[in-house]
Amino acid sequence: MTRHRSGVGPVLATWTTLALCCLPATARAEALPEALAKAYQTNPQLNAERARQRATDENVPQALAGYRPQIVASLSAGLQAVRNLLPDNTIQTATLKPWTIGVTVSQTLFNGFRTANSVRVAELQVQSGREALRNVGQGVLLDAVTAYTNVLANQSLVEAQRSNVAFLRETLSITQRRLNAGDVTPTDTAQAEARLNRGLADLNAAEVALAVSQATYTQVIGNAPSALRPAEVVDRYLPKSREDSIAMAIHEHPAVMAASFDVDVASTNIRVAEGALLPSASLQGSVSRSRDSDQTLGTFGTDQASIVANVTAPIYDGGQAASQTRQAKEVTAQSRLVLDQVRNQARTAAVSAWVANEGAKIAVSASESEVKAATVALQGVQREAAGGQRTTVDVLNSQADLIQARARLIGALRDRVIASYTLLSAVGHLDVKTLSLNTPDYLPEVHYQQVRDAWHGLRTPSGQ
């Protein structure tokens, strides 16, 4: 771990050197934690996943409704034409206006434990959904880190290419003066001009890449980048070894935990399906009043109240319940295999992230040394060229080596930051709480508690 901490200083120092040249004098620099907080608050993908989870929460009160009575009111009214033939062969006609009003209350007493198991399934679905939400949050934060560091790196590349173009222009100017003095040949001038045109093409490519990365930043973060501060690595939050990374990933990664809850959902659904094979009992009470109002036939009315207990036991349903039970068992077996697959994927991702993070540290150190050596080499070649011991192409080649070394260093610094956040995501700890971001943490359990026992009302807790 000492080696890890000692590498942070040079990384930040180099990022600072590369990034400060990109900041306008009056612009307020935006740090990576601020960008992550904005993405956490405004990212449409993450907000859509939160809405999905709130919808999943409603499965619980829907399942709990099986414990509550069902009340139905009915009202009917109409016209009825009557023609009666009396014993004395006379005919009596009338137009009746019958109406009936009633209330029926039904209460399930026992349904093969399907209500209890359905509530358990809904609660497990909520737990699985929360882990899926946490996993999407990790992905959004990692996308934000990638977008931020890509803009920062591309800004540095543009500045490096601009410096390269300025150097090549100066070299071409010096070569032309030396050509006029007879010190070099037209070949040297052509070589310098060719390198300048290549440098202009490289600058254009860097500017295009910067524009693309800025658009991606706006999509992920929610606003266009203005001035960015150097990004820090998160080594202090990372596990100490590869073995620790693997252990944390297979036990704490949200994808693994979501898959584990999915196994519980599937196994509980077996009991729901088996409940259809058990007896059921219900109680129904009703009251009603009906009237046929007609003065010629007399007033006719009925008031009725009843309480009826129903007990049913399935004997044969054509094999539907048995098939559903077998189907639920197969789904459970599938869920267990998916859990094993997700654990293997988490293990592989943790190992890959650990190795990539360690490799990124070495790449930064090597790139820093390469830039220092290439800078010294260029200065030496320039002095030797001024003394006539080196040609123009030697100077151009040395400058090309330096600009390529700078580009590799910029890429290595970007990869170093991304690799540290990727490892944090691979072990399941890339979240607002771990990073101590200055934004309220979204707590899905708040909405769950608001709607769990709600038995009426059409508005959501947010007022929709």
Side-chain angles (χ1 to χ4, degrees), residues 173-185 189:
S173 177
I174 293 174
T175 305
Q176 288 174 338
R177 290 198 298 269
R178 295 182 65 187
L179 175 64
N180 295 333
D183 294 337
V184 297
T185 66
T189 305

Side-chain angles (χ1 to χ4, degrees), residues 45-46 56 71 89 116 122 198 205 237 383 463:
Q45 179 187 1
L46 186 53
T56 302
I71 304 175
N89 290 326
R198 181 192 298 178
Y237 304 129
R383 288 193 297 268

Side-chain angles (χ1 to χ4, degrees), residues 154-199:
N154 287 329
Q155 286 176 342
S156 300
L157 282 173
V158 167
E159 291 303 317
Q161 293 296 343
R162 285 174 181 169
S163 299
N164 181 52
V165 169
F167 177 89
L168 294 174
R169 289 186 190 278
E170 178 64 21
T171 301
L172 177 59
S173 177
I174 293 174
T175 305
Q176 288 174 338
R177 290 198 298 269
R178 295 182 65 187
L179 175 64
N180 295 333
D183 294 337
V184 297
T185 66
T187 302
D188 295 284
T189 305
Q191 290 172 333
E193 187 175 356
R195 292 297 179 89
L196 174 59
N197 288 323
R198 181 192 298 178

